[in-house]
Amino acid sequence: MFSRILIANRGEIACRVIRTAQKMGISTIAVYSEADAHALHVAMADEAVYIGPSPVTDSYLRADHIIAAALQTGAEAIHPGYGFLSENPGFVDAVVKAGLVFIGPSADSIRAMGLKDAAKRLMEKAGVPVVPGYHGEAQELVVLASKAREIGYPVLIKARAGGGGKGMRKVDDPDDFAEALGSARREAKSAFGDDRVLVEKYIAKPRHIEVQVFGDNHGNVVHLYERDCSLQRRHQKVIEEAPAPGITAEVRAAMTSAAVKAAQAINYSGAGTIEFIVDATEGLKPDRFWFMEMNTRLQVEHPVTEMITGLDLVEWQLRVAAGEKLPLSQKQIPLNGHAMEARLYAEDPSKSFLPAIGTLHHLAFPAAVMDGLVRIETGVRTGDTISPYYDPMIAKLVVHGNDRAAALAAMESALLETEIAGTTTNARFLAALIRDDGFATGDVDTGLIDRNLAALTVPAAVDAGARELAILFASDLLRKPSLVDPWTAMRGYSHNSNLAYPVVLEDSGGTVRYGVTVLGDDRYAISGPGIATELRVRHEPSSWHVTGKGINFRAKAITLPHGIAIISKGAAATFTVADPFLLAEAAGHSGDRLAAPMPGLVKSVRVAAGDTVKKGQILLVLEAMKMEHSITAPHDGKIAEIVTESMQVKENTALVRFEEAALPDGR
């Protein structure tokens, strides 16, 4: 067994590998970019090596820097995690050439499955069913459009390299094919360095079911059952579970047999996943699933399999890479209960899941973690920053129950008990998804989220008492006496009458002014737009308890640099406290412009200065966090200025400025 390994990754997967290595007595070496200098995986490892600036192209994709770090620190092997260089056969070749062990499959196996078109041709020869489509080499628009017509709309354009839903577009109408192809190619080129695509028949009610396989260097291949990953948005997985809802022994046998056959066809060694697209229009049938692709690495959702089998897949990876045989035979691998994983992201579901950056001023996970009832996979802590350079995942919440109903209940509880302040998250969206009737009954397919998106992303109403608690916190009147200076302690006091202490909050419509009066005995009066109430506020062991007319509310209050976060039942309502000295200046700034919602790269500009545009028209495409975001016109108008293509912009950078509309008299 190895004594020292290097993890060529970051975030939660790096932390995950480090934990198993430590359990096995193996020393770990982390690598980090400038943005990750103080990251959790760096703190957890026995040693850490700086490999470059924050952009992945200058750090985590620099194979030469990573191999040099391994040699310099005396590592014997490199674990790639997932993403980055994990499925790059050139990296595997370089690792082996340097005299190191790659903890994963051979370069030949990765090459065999790395390009979707070639992989599907290989699977056809091996007798594994593949979805109907065009997997040829010709990439001209006229050829691909012709093949799409032959296959029959709707079709799916897919990048032949990589995965994660990037470079993938569904096309319903032939008139939209060229536009979708261009967008898919740009995204594929950016994500994988390869803009070639394939075209497949779009399955009407598809389910995404994958099988975990494992091979060793002694010719043994086993499966560790299936996972259902059908709950997706933008072709990216949101919630994964095992076993697959509604699967029968007959379907499982057919699917796992095909998966093992696929792995054997390429002499596979290590952890891998065979992904199948399943036609669920008539339930799960043994002849209605097709090979989609193989991920030649550990999957993000591997903890789901670990929960139902009780096995440590990272430990298996290490043992196989060290030359050992698989720890168990197929008949020895157990299947117990039901497991589920939810991906908690820093993103705003109400804004098309736009990634959100920010500092995690407060991060707390369910108490059940301490009892082993909930598993948390994370690479961040309180005080860490969600960076624009990397995937905005905060954590994976993983639960296990005796059956699916128990797992659903455990997941809902875990989401409600997770507390995050400092950035917008998808926690409330995930909780709504868990409660969705279709998902609860197991009637799942990859279109479920899109069909129910409006209901799943309804902006949450602010709980009665949340705004009032924020106002009181903003006044400093609820701070503990030991933290209050003598002058603050006198606020609200007057010799003859109580004074109203002013609080100004920022709202979408501007600023709102409130007054807070101390009444004594934990009682306060708040006045302002929509509020005229008396409250009693008491501090309990883990929260504040606000009571008053129509209010009975418990929550935590977290002070942010420019506001207050009120956290209750897994949801955070953030209130921005206005600086009264800047109000007049802020009021004087206005303009007809569009600003970048987050840092990114301008990939495509569709209009030019002087053009007249219509409301909803795409003006430019901004790439941020590995995804393309279309910036559209908020109203009809004429473009005065617009950014140029390939420009790197910061958050709030002006992207577009419109000409001012002429007044009725022509001025």
Side-chain angles (χ1 to χ4, degrees), residues 28 92 137 160 242 284 303 322 514 528 553 586 606 628 640:
T28 56
V92 180
E137 292 293 331
R160 74 170 197 162
L284 300 182
Y514 301 94
F553 178 68
R606 306 290 181 83
E628 289 190 356

Side-chain angles (χ1 to χ4, degrees), residues 139-476:
Q139 292 291 301
E140 294 82 2
L141 170 60
V142 64
V143 174
L144 296 176
S146 174
K147 294 297 182 182
R149 284 193 296 272
E150 290 177 14
I151 295 166
Y153 285 89
V155 298
L156 202 60
I157 299 173
K158 297 172 65 175
R160 74 170 197 162
K166 295 179 177 65
M168 185 181 295
R169 298 291 186 275
K170 178 192 174 190
V171 189
D172 294 298
D173 191 306
D175 292 340
D176 299 328
F177 188 85
E179 173 74 17
L181 177 63
S183 179
R185 279 176 164 165
R186 287 192 300 272
E187 196 168 88
K189 183 70 173 178
S190 174
F192 316 120
D194 185 344
D195 66 356
R196 286 170 289 182
V197 301
L198 50 87
V199 183
E200 292 181 344
K201 178 65 180 173
Y202 182 79
I203 308 301
K205 190 177 180 181
R207 281 178 63 175
H208 179 146
I209 300 178
E210 60 190 29
V211 176
Q212 177 73 60
V213 294
F214 232 106
D216 62 22
N217 294 310
H218 303 275
N220 301 304
V221 178
V222 297
H223 70 80
L224 289 84
Y225 308 106
E226 80 285 345
R227 297 184 291 256
D228 193 304
C229 305
S230 299
L231 283 192
Q232 303 178 9
R233 53 97 187 159
R234 291 183 178 176
H235 304 291
Q236 292 187 311
K237 300 164 187 173
V238 177
I239 292 179
E240 303 100 342
E241 61 181 310
I247 196 167
T248 64
E250 182 186 16
V251 174
R252 175 177 290 137
M255 197 172 288
T256 54
S257 175
V260 169
K261 188 185 298 183
Q264 290 172 331
I266 58 171
N267 300 314
Y268 197 77
S269 175
T273 301
I274 308 297
E275 301 196 353
F276 295 106
I277 192 77
V278 183
D279 183 352
T281 53
E282 299 177 356
L284 300 182
K285 304 289 185 181
D287 60 349
R288 302 299 291 170
F289 69 87
W290 301 277
F291 173 85
M292 190 163 54
E293 62 183 346
M294 181 178 189
N295 286 309
T296 51
R297 53 170 167 78
L298 198 65
Q299 289 282 84
V300 176
E301 59 272 21
H302 77 273
V304 172
T305 295
E306 293 183 324
M307 293 291 255
I308 62 167
T309 60
L311 304 173
D312 185 330
L313 299 195
V314 174
E315 180 179 344
W316 276 39
Q317 283 187 298
L318 293 169
R319 293 194 180 283
V320 166
E324 297 182 19
K325 291 184 178 181
L326 291 176
L328 299 175
S329 67
Q330 187 65 69
K331 291 182 179 180
Q332 294 174 311
I333 299 172
L335 171 58
N336 298 312
H338 201 97
M340 203 167 281
E341 174 182 290
R343 302 188 187 191
L344 188 60
Y345 277 93
E347 62 185 10
D348 190 345
S350 68
K351 296 181 179 177
S352 299
F353 297 92
L354 187 71
I357 60 175
T359 299
L360 298 170
H361 295 291
H362 177 76
L363 178 62
F365 294 111
V369 171
M370 304 302 295
D371 303 323
L373 302 177
V374 178
R375 173 172 165 177
I376 302 296
E377 297 288 342
T378 186
V380 294
R381 305 151 292 183
T382 295
D384 286 350
T385 298
I386 301 299
S387 162
Y389 296 104
Y390 314 117
D391 186 88
M393 181 186 287
I394 296 173
K396 300 182 305 193
L397 277 62
V398 194
V399 300
H400 183 270
N402 291 330
D403 53 30
R404 191 169 188 269
L408 278 167
M411 180 60 76
E412 184 173 12
S413 295
L415 287 166
L416 292 177
E417 293 174 25
T418 298
E419 302 171 357
I420 301 173
T423 186
T424 304
T425 77
N426 66 339
R428 192 180 288 267
F429 163 75
L430 292 172
L433 194 51
I434 289 294
R435 293 190 294 267
D436 178 83
D437 290 341
F439 180 62
T441 59
D443 184 15
V444 296
D445 64 80
T446 58
L448 186 148
I449 290 178
D450 285 342
R451 287 196 304 273
N452 303 326
L453 191 59
L456 294 170
T457 57
V458 172
V462 176
D463 292 323
R467 182 175 296 274
E468 290 82 353
L469 184 57
I471 292 168
L472 288 170
F473 246 80
S475 71
D476 282 338

Side-chain angles (χ1 to χ4, degrees), residues 10 24 53 57 134 163 167 185 233 261 323 402 455 486 496 498 512 549:
R10 62 176 302 281
M24 297 175 68
T57 52
Y134 173 70
R185 279 176 164 165
R233 53 97 187 159
K261 188 185 298 183
N402 291 330
N496 295 314
N498 291 333
V512 184
K549 186 176 181 180

Side-chain angles (χ1 to χ4, degrees), residues 7-9 13 60-61 63 66 78-93 95 102-107 109-111 114 162-163 192 268-269 271-272 294-300 317:
I7 298 101
N9 218 297
I13 185 57
Y60 296 106
L61 292 180
I66 290 169
I78 294 179
H79 194 299
Y82 56 72
F84 295 141
L85 294 169
S86 63
E87 294 181 279
N88 185 319
F91 177 58
V92 180
D93 286 336
V95 169
F102 180 76
I103 302 172
S106 68
S109 291
I110 296 176
R111 285 190 178 95
F192 316 120
Y268 197 77
S269 175
M294 181 178 189
N295 286 309
T296 51
R297 53 170 167 78
L298 198 65
Q299 289 282 84
V300 176
Q317 283 187 298

Side-chain angles (χ1 to χ4, degrees), residues 608-658:
D611 288 352
T612 298
V613 298
K614 295 290 185 181
K615 180 179 179 180
Q617 181 177 341
I618 297 177
L619 306 180
L620 58 93
V621 177
L622 184 69
E623 182 189 68
M625 292 187 172
K626 304 179 184 178
M627 298 293 289
E628 289 190 356
H629 306 275
S630 296
I631 305 299
T632 60
H635 52 70
D636 295 353
K638 190 173 184 179
I639 304 296
E641 296 178 11
I642 190 165
V643 291
T644 57
E645 286 189 7
S646 303
M647 181 177 176
Q648 189 77 41
V649 296
K650 297 180 179 179
E651 185 177 9
N652 291 324
T653 298
L655 299 175
V656 181
R657 186 173 65 81
F658 293 90

